[in-house]
Amino acid sequence: MRPQIWIADVVRALDVARTESERAQVQEMLGLVGSMPRTDFVPPPTRPPVPEHWAEAPPEPPDAEPRSEPLPRPDAEDRGEVTDPTAELPLLRPARVEGTSAPREPVEPLARPTSERVPLPHLPLLVPRWTSAILRAMLSRQVSEGPVDIPALIDTLAHGRPVTRLPRRRVPTLRYGVQVLVDRGTGMQPFRRDQDQLVGLIRTVVGADLVEVGYFSHAPQRGTGPGARWTRTEYTPPECGRRILLLSDLGLGGPPDDPHRAAPAEWAEFAGLVTRAGCSVVALSPYPPARWPGWMTRLLPLVSWDSTTTASRARVRVP
């Protein structure tokens, strides 16, 4: 029986042979070629010459059984089989398993931009739920038409004075109406939405028939009217007893070098005009009291037009 010859044996034997004839003889001895030499055989690269002092390995006798080492068996790729290269890798053990959360609700996309201009939400200067009470405190007049004033009646009787009429307590009323003067000057330009909104609320609180609205720029004496600037005429005070509400900064705001800014003398003239007509005036200023000059507080009663104003604070400042 012919022993099994491996490719490793041939490589090792050819490595020992030094000439082409010896390599051909080794191949013939191992039964890899016949008597005819193979033309398709490509000899391995020739090794460099071995020094003489190196011991030469004796050639193996032809009858001896060749020493051979089994080559590794062809893998699956050589056999034409398809395998997974990760099949032999060790699997990792998961540290923990987290449950999947519930899917979120789909988010509605933003509206596509258009050329239409949408106004920003308006935040009024006064607190909305306090505005009606603040307007009543500023615009009402005190009249002696309330219940009978018992302490005053007892005092009259105790002093032996005749009772010609029953004394009554003072109560506020809005039946005299109000004249609203709206400043459209440069300094009040940032507050026009607040002015328009407040005028509408005044009509609701007092009554549309009892509200007179006039527009002016910088000072009422320069022209006042219910419409556009070209329709304004000379200012005329209202009837006696009617309250005047002034929506103006009294020249406090606007550019410092504005040539149209009203001077303190003009406001003094206005205050004297309405006082002689028997009317009382109160100004609603969009600036805090810390910015009010002394001449302004001495000339007119002022109420701060901001979120800190309450009905009690407005009532204290109004005579």
Side-chain angles (χ1 to χ4, degrees), residues 4-16:
Q4 188 174 7
I5 304 300
W6 295 92
I7 299 299
D9 299 333
V10 178
V11 174
R12 184 170 300 176
L14 294 176
D15 186 59
V16 175

Side-chain angles (χ1 to χ4, degrees), residues 179 181 216 219-221 235 237 244 246 250 264-276 281 299-300:
Q179 183 187 61
L181 298 179
F216 69 94
Q221 301 92 302
Y235 173 72
I244 299 174
L246 192 61
L250 304 181
E266 289 186 88
W267 290 111
E269 180 185 355
F270 169 77
L273 181 63
V274 297
T275 302
R276 289 190 297 270
V281 61
L299 191 62
L300 297 173

Side-chain angles (χ1 to χ4, degrees), residues 108-193:
E108 297 183 1
L110 297 177
R112 303 187 67 175
T114 61
S115 59
E116 182 181 359
R117 297 183 62 182
V118 179
L120 297 176
H122 174 59
L123 299 177
L125 295 178
L126 297 176
V127 179
R129 63 176 180 271
W130 299 345
T131 304
S132 297
I134 294 173
L135 292 176
R136 289 188 178 91
M138 290 192 303
L139 304 179
S140 60
R141 257 184 84 180
Q142 298 292 330
V143 294
S144 300
E145 297 178 357
V148 176
D149 191 353
I150 300 299
L153 180 60
I154 293 175
D155 183 74
T156 301
L157 295 175
H159 287 81
R161 295 191 296 267
V163 180
T164 58
R165 57 181 302 179
L166 291 176
R168 295 183 177 274
R169 295 183 179 180
R170 297 175 63 84
V171 292
T173 180
L174 294 172
R175 72 169 183 265
Y176 293 96
V178 60
Q179 183 187 61
V180 184
L181 298 179
V182 183
D183 188 357
R184 293 299 200 187
T186 308
M188 291 298 294
Q189 186 175 4
F191 309 101
R192 290 195 175 183
R193 293 181 67 180

Side-chain angles (χ1 to χ4, degrees), residues 1-311:
M1 181 176 181
R2 185 178 180 180
Q4 188 174 7
I5 304 300
W6 295 92
I7 299 299
D9 299 333
V10 178
V11 174
R12 184 170 300 176
L14 294 176
D15 186 59
V16 175
R18 290 178 295 177
T19 62
E20 292 295 336
S21 59
E22 292 181 358
R23 293 191 183 95
Q25 186 179 3
V26 169
Q27 296 180 34
E28 186 177 358
M29 292 171 58
L30 295 179
L32 295 179
V33 294
S35 58
M36 296 294 295
R38 296 187 57 178
T39 60
D40 58 342
F41 174 75
V42 179
T46 307
R47 295 184 58 186
V50 180
E52 297 180 355
H53 62 275
W54 287 8
E56 296 183 359
E60 296 183 0
D63 297 336
E65 183 177 359
R67 293 172 300 173
S68 63
E69 295 181 1
L71 293 175
R73 300 185 61 183
D75 52 9
E77 294 183 359
D78 297 338
R79 296 194 304 266
E81 299 179 5
V82 179
T83 58
D84 186 5
T86 61
E88 299 180 358
L89 297 178
L91 298 179
L92 300 178
R93 181 177 299 177
R96 60 178 179 177
V97 179
E98 298 182 356
T100 58
S101 58
R104 298 182 179 179
E105 297 181 358
V107 180
E108 297 183 1
L110 297 177
R112 303 187 67 175
T114 61
S115 59
E116 182 181 359
R117 297 183 62 182
V118 179
L120 297 176
H122 174 59
L123 299 177
L125 295 178
L126 297 176
V127 179
R129 63 176 180 271
W130 299 345
T131 304
S132 297
I134 294 173
L135 292 176
R136 289 188 178 91
M138 290 192 303
L139 304 179
S140 60
R141 257 184 84 180
Q142 298 292 330
V143 294
S144 300
E145 297 178 357
V148 176
D149 191 353
I150 300 299
L153 180 60
I154 293 175
D155 183 74
T156 301
L157 295 175
H159 287 81
R161 295 191 296 267
V163 180
T164 58
R165 57 181 302 179
L166 291 176
R168 295 183 177 274
R169 295 183 179 180
R170 297 175 63 84
V171 292
T173 180
L174 294 172
R175 72 169 183 265
Y176 293 96
V178 60
Q179 183 187 61
V180 184
L181 298 179
V182 183
D183 188 357
R184 293 299 200 187
T186 308
M188 291 298 294
Q189 186 175 4
F191 309 101
R192 290 195 175 183
R193 293 181 67 180
D194 294 276
Q195 290 176 336
D196 297 339
Q197 183 186 35
L198 196 63
V199 169
L201 292 175
I202 291 173
R203 288 194 174 102
T204 303
V205 173
V206 180
D209 298 337
L210 299 176
V211 176
E212 178 187 356
V213 181
Y215 298 92
F216 69 94
S217 296
H218 303 286
Q221 301 92 302
R222 300 181 186 181
T224 304
R229 181 174 301 182
W230 59 272
T231 62
R232 298 172 187 173
T233 58
E234 184 180 357
Y235 173 72
T236 303
E239 60 185 11
C240 181
R242 176 163 290 193
R243 180 63 55 85
I244 299 174
L245 178 61
L246 192 61
L247 304 181
S248 174
D249 60 349
L250 304 181
L252 190 60
D257 56 349
D258 188 1
H260 303 288
R261 183 192 299 269
E266 289 186 88
W267 290 111
E269 180 185 355
F270 169 77
L273 181 63
V274 297
T275 302
R276 289 190 297 270
C279 302
S280 59
V281 61
V282 57
L284 193 60
S285 175
Y287 294 98
R291 294 191 57 182
W292 297 344
W295 67 267
M296 192 179 296
T297 56
R298 292 189 300 267
L299 191 62
L300 297 173
L302 298 174
V303 177
S304 182
W305 194 358
D306 58 21
S307 59
T308 61
T309 301
T310 60

